[in-house]
Amino acid sequence: HAASEEGGCWKIHDPSATGAREWALSLLGELDQAIDAGHIWVAYQPKMELATGAIVGAEALVRWTHATRGPIDPAEFVEMAERHGRIDRLTAFVLNDAARAAAAAVAYDPGFAISVNISPQLLATREVVDMVRRVLRKHRLPASALVLEITETAAMVEGQTALKLLEELRAMGVELSIDDYGTGMSTLAYLRRIPANELKVDKRFAASLLSSPEDQAVMRSTIELAHTLGMHVVAEGVETAETLQMLRAMGCEIGQGYHIGRPMEWLSFMDIFSPRPSRAADG
Ligand code: C2E
Ligand code: MG
Ligand code: MG
Ligand code: MG
């Protein structure tokens, strides 16, 4: 049965690929219901300013705790949603939750910001701009409290359209971050053009930082490059105190990782890291 007409001739599909498609379609068929039922939810992971130890933000990370299958790997269902046209629905849900959370946090700390991952597919149309504008208005959130994380290849793939949208979002005051930096193939020309405020170095660099002098050199020059281009640096995957210390000494501004805090429910986040008004008083 796993056959189809392609390019004029019948081909047997790779059975595993067919299985993956069926699994994706059956799972995504439950998406709306899972959102309504609260099985899809958003976890928040703290971002720490390394110089002061202050928690200055959080990354929103989507979770699906399936009623019968248990937790599903986010990378897996996000990829399914991207591939089968449901990423707009999923992102709208995450953005709304993140904006609600951010609105609660900035009431205590005006400098607090929440990061949301934006898939490359969403940079192909203007819809994302309207989506962002709507949630900001709905939650009366200043645009500067929202950071959109875009992988370094994403903005390249879609070319001019993506770049225009990113410039429009920047003009609204939304912050932009280049996610998973160092895993793609971005050129210096591209890095200069993309209107980002933040460079988020992929976790593989933090992981090997202590053991690899080469990666230390790469991290140092990446930080310098980011600063030259007017961006601050976030290191993801900070798993030890030693890594945190080394990054701080290198001038990396912000760290994120299990050593600082795991992704968690927003209520737990507020319990543990509750933004304090004192920072607001400092300006
Ligand atoms: P990402 O945006 O690079 O998110 C960081 C990932 O690293 C998260 O995985 C996080 O749980 C994990 N992480 C955090 N600290 C550490 C650490 O110290 N060590 C290690 N080894 N890992 C750490 P997660 O939550 O499984 O998400 C995987 C990817 O799925 C994300 O990578 C992002 O690309 C995507 N994703 C998650 N939520 C969303 C979403 O709402 N929308 C979109 N489009 N993509 C999302
Ligand atoms: Mg991210
Ligand atoms: Mg990342
Ligand atoms: Mg990623």
Side-chain angles (χ1 to χ4, degrees), residues 1 3 5 46 66 118 127 151 177 261-262:
H1 71 292
E5 199 173 2
H66 193 275
I118 298 294
E127 199 190 325
T151 56
S177 173
R262 300 226 165 211

Side-chain angles (χ1 to χ4, degrees), residues 28-39:
L28 292 175
E30 304 172 37
L31 186 81
D32 292 309
Q33 196 191 323
I35 286 175
D36 291 342
H39 298 155

Side-chain angles (χ1 to χ4, degrees), residues 82 117-125 148-166 177-181 183-186 190 193-194:
E82 289 174 347
N117 292 284
I118 298 294
S119 298
Q121 288 80 0
L122 286 172
L123 296 178
T125 73
L148 301 181
E149 295 192 359
I150 290 134
T151 56
E152 58 177 319
T153 37
M156 291 164 77
V157 171
E158 309 296 338
Q160 282 307 308
T161 312
L163 212 55
K164 280 225 176 66
L165 293 174
L166 295 178
S177 173
I178 301 175
D179 201 0
D180 301 341
Y181 182 72
T183 60
M185 310 180 297
S186 59
Y190 162 76
R193 283 212 331 265
I194 185 168

Side-chain angles (χ1 to χ4, degrees), residues 41 44 46 262-274:
W41 55 283
Y44 292 88
R262 300 226 165 211
M264 63 189 82
E265 287 179 46
W266 177 246
L267 288 181
S268 310
F269 187 99
M270 285 295 268
D271 271 353
I272 300 173
F273 299 110
S274 167

Side-chain angles (χ1 to χ4, degrees), residues 88 91 95 118-119 121-137 143 146 148 150 161-174 176:
D88 48 353
T91 304
L95 258 179
I118 298 294
S119 298
Q121 288 80 0
L122 286 172
L123 296 178
T125 73
R126 287 194 42 81
E127 199 190 325
V128 65
V129 178
D130 302 329
M131 205 189 264
V132 167
R133 198 171 274 136
R134 266 198 309 274
V135 297
L136 292 178
R137 197 183 307 132
L146 184 64
L148 301 181
I150 290 134
T161 312
L163 212 55
K164 280 225 176 66
L165 293 174
L166 295 178
E167 274 156 9
E168 201 170 330
L169 288 161
R170 269 305 290 144
M172 283 165 60
V174 171
L176 296 176

Side-chain angles (χ1 to χ4, degrees), residues 33-266:
Q33 196 191 323
I35 286 175
D36 291 342
H39 298 155
I40 292 179
W41 55 283
V42 184
Y44 292 88
Q45 185 176 31
K47 289 170 74 176
M48 177 191 276
E49 186 175 69
L50 296 180
T52 61
I55 300 302
V56 293
E59 179 174 8
L61 293 161
V62 71
R63 296 289 179 260
W64 190 337
T65 311
H66 193 275
T68 56
R69 297 171 190 273
I72 304 172
D73 179 4
E76 193 175 339
F77 72 81
V78 164
E79 208 258 343
M80 288 177 186
E82 289 174 347
R83 197 189 282 261
H84 297 283
R86 297 310 315 272
I87 194 62
D88 48 353
R89 174 73 177 102
L90 196 60
T91 304
F93 169 73
V94 175
L95 258 179
N96 187 63
D97 198 85
R100 187 180 47 76
V106 292
Y108 294 98
D109 177 357
F112 198 88
I114 288 195
S115 306
V116 174
N117 292 284
I118 298 294
S119 298
Q121 288 80 0
L122 286 172
L123 296 178
T125 73
R126 287 194 42 81
E127 199 190 325
V128 65
V129 178
D130 302 329
M131 205 189 264
V132 167
R133 198 171 274 136
R134 266 198 309 274
V135 297
L136 292 178
R137 197 183 307 132
K138 177 175 170 194
H139 297 280
R140 300 169 178 279
L141 188 69
S144 60
L146 184 64
V147 183
L148 301 181
E149 295 192 359
I150 290 134
T151 56
E152 58 177 319
T153 37
M156 291 164 77
V157 171
E158 309 296 338
Q160 282 307 308
T161 312
L163 212 55
K164 280 225 176 66
L165 293 174
L166 295 178
E167 274 156 9
E168 201 170 330
L169 288 161
R170 269 305 290 144
M172 283 165 60
V174 171
E175 310 264 315
L176 296 176
S177 173
I178 301 175
D179 201 0
D180 301 341
Y181 182 72
T183 60
M185 310 180 297
S186 59
T187 61
L188 292 176
Y190 162 76
L191 259 194
R192 275 193 61 174
R193 283 212 331 265
I194 185 168
N197 326 69
E198 180 177 283
L199 193 68
K200 200 162 183 184
V201 182
D202 191 74
K203 48 181 168 286
R204 77 180 55 174
F205 293 97
S208 55
L209 203 58
L210 294 172
S211 59
S212 162
E214 289 84 3
D215 280 349
Q216 288 167 21
V218 168
M219 183 65 84
R220 248 189 225 102
S221 48
T222 301
I223 292 169
E224 198 184 326
L225 172 67
H227 291 171
T228 303
L229 295 176
M231 293 182 275
H232 63 260
V233 179
V234 179
E236 52 175 37
V238 178
E239 294 187 354
T240 68
E242 292 76 19
T243 307
L244 189 154
Q245 176 50 43
M246 181 174 281
L247 287 163
R248 180 196 286 144
M250 286 178 172
C252 173
E253 284 87 355
I254 296 173
Q256 181 181 336
Y258 297 159
H259 175 69
I260 296 161
R262 300 226 165 211
M264 63 189 82
E265 287 179 46
W266 177 246

